[in-house]
Amino acid sequence: MKVRVMVRPKEGILDPQGEAVRRALPALGFEGVKSVHVGRLVEMEVESAEEVEGMCRRLLANPTIEEYEWEIVE
Amino acid sequence: MRVGVPIFPGSNCDRDALSALERVGAEPVELWHADADLKGVDAVFVPGGFSYGDYLRPGAIARFSGVMGPLEEFARDGGPVIGVCNGFQVLAEAHLLPGALLQNKSTRFVCTRTRVRVESVETPWTAACEPGAELTLPVAHNEGNYYADAETLRALEEEGRVVLRYLENPNGSAGDIAGVCNEARNVVGLMPHPERASDPVLGLDDGLCILRSILQGAAKAGAGV
């Protein structure tokens, strides 16, 4: 099955990458963008989803600074 | 004294660390990342670089490499361990040190000399420094912005576990923190590179007191002090 994991900076954690993108958008004429957060998408083919939570907690995200959510997409 | 230097794919300060350690009179020992033991070393210096290409997060993959199991055991048994730059990131990912290193606030890679103050000489890696000494040390990193939650930061300050503090913060670190230690004080992480400031030929030798500290501690232990 296919699993999709989204990892992003926790609320309130400085996100310089998101901030750089937020500043770039108005320069292209896209006004009114209040905030941008850039995260990471991890797609995996797995036999069972049993261990995905452990993978997220131990490696895919650093719970000190990041939050994650995951879903089975196929 | 034998000081091990783990070499991960992507380490690029390993040679600098090995030669700087040799220069201060330690016996440097190369530890391959896939090795399952520490070859009986007395201390470990986790060098800077871009372990495993910095993929996922700096240090995230190195933290699970073969040499890290024995290293974690060594650290938890009180063995002296220092991580510099990527080494600091690896030790934070391994939860041997509190907090995490975020991307620099400026969004830019920073490669410069920076001034820091020695805030604690109560670690095996700073014991030979003058308390409060101001050092000039090189930094070169993209993720050096130290972050910890408010409670952790308070504990670090109250317990005197901030080891080095920037006098000119190059990356946005909380509390101008350039280096911290664990609760037992045997594990230290620094973003600045003492090994790149260890020879007058390099233009800087302020890092020598940090490198010499580990030998001083060994001499004291040997003398039974």
Side-chain angles (χ1 to χ4, degrees):
Chain A
M1 66 181 67
K2 199 170 176 183
V3 171
R4 191 172 284 162
V5 182
M6 276 300 312
V7 183
R8 62 180 152 227
K10 267 188 184 169
E11 186 80 29
I13 299 273
L14 180 80
D15 176 7
Q17 201 176 180
E19 187 54 24
V21 174
R22 190 192 63 78
R23 285 199 302 257
L25 286 168
L28 298 176
F30 300 106
E31 299 292 342
V33 182
K34 289 205 177 82
S35 70
V36 176
H37 294 286
V38 177
R40 180 188 301 118
L41 172 68
V42 184
E43 280 185 338
M44 300 188 293
E45 287 275 343
V46 293
E47 282 180 6
S48 107
E50 223 172 274
E51 293 182 312
V52 174
E53 184 63 28
M55 293 178 199
C56 291
R57 225 176 20 244
R58 294 192 63 203
L59 179 64
L60 302 181
N62 177 345
T64 307
I65 49 172
E66 294 169 328
E67 59 188 22
Y68 60 86
E69 54 195 56
W70 60 273
E71 56 177 353
I72 297 165
V73 288
E74 265 173 41
Chain B
M1 158 171 256
R2 288 160 58 81
V3 183
V5 178
I7 301 168
F8 303 106
S11 292
N12 67 4
C13 299
D14 46 337
R15 297 271 151 204
D16 309 49
L18 291 160
S19 74
L21 287 163
E22 194 168 19
R23 206 173 304 127
V24 296
E27 182 192 338
V29 179
E30 293 184 22
L31 303 173
W32 190 236
H33 65 99
D35 283 354
D37 79 285
L38 298 184
K39 300 185 181 170
V41 296
D42 305 298
V44 178
F45 185 118
V46 188
F50 300 85
S51 59
Y52 296 85
D54 267 1
Y55 289 127
L56 206 56
R57 296 179 305 280
I61 298 178
R63 173 251 189 282
F64 292 105
S65 62
V67 79
M68 284 303 289
L71 193 154
E72 284 174 44
E73 205 175 312
F74 178 78
R76 295 194 201 285
D77 287 346
V81 177
I82 191 170
V84 166
C85 199
N86 186 242
F88 185 5
Q89 295 160 340
V90 172
L91 297 180
E93 282 283 338
H95 308 301
L96 291 172
L97 290 170
L101 284 311
L102 298 172
Q103 197 179 12
N104 298 340
K105 199 172 180 181
S106 61
T107 69
R108 293 191 180 91
F109 189 98
V110 56
C111 181
T112 185
R113 291 175 174 183
T114 184
R115 287 170 58 243
V116 294
R117 189 172 53 232
V118 178
E119 298 282 74
S120 170
V121 293
E122 306 288 316
T123 85
W125 300 98
T126 48
C129 303
E130 288 290 321
E134 294 185 4
L135 313 177
T136 301
L137 296 175
V139 287
H141 56 246
N142 191 51
E143 283 91 0
N145 179 353
Y146 186 75
Y147 168 85
D149 59 42
E151 195 182 326
T152 306
L153 287 174
R154 196 165 49 238
L156 288 173
E157 296 290 354
E158 278 172 10
E159 294 163 19
R161 287 165 55 201
V162 175
V163 176
L164 288 187
R165 204 184 300 270
Y166 296 115
L167 296 171
E168 40 210 9
N169 190 337
N171 50 36
S173 286
D176 299 328
I177 290 172
V180 296
C181 66
N182 65 343
E183 232 174 310
R185 295 173 188 275
N186 62 307
V187 182
V188 169
L190 310 178
M191 281 320 288
H193 287 272
E195 80 285 3
R196 290 191 189 176
S198 59
D199 192 320
V201 165
L202 299 169
L204 286 175
D205 62 2
D206 285 7
L208 282 172
C209 73
I210 292 170
L211 298 161
R212 282 183 181 136
S213 291
I214 192 68
L215 297 164
Q216 177 178 302
K220 269 190 192 164
V225 174

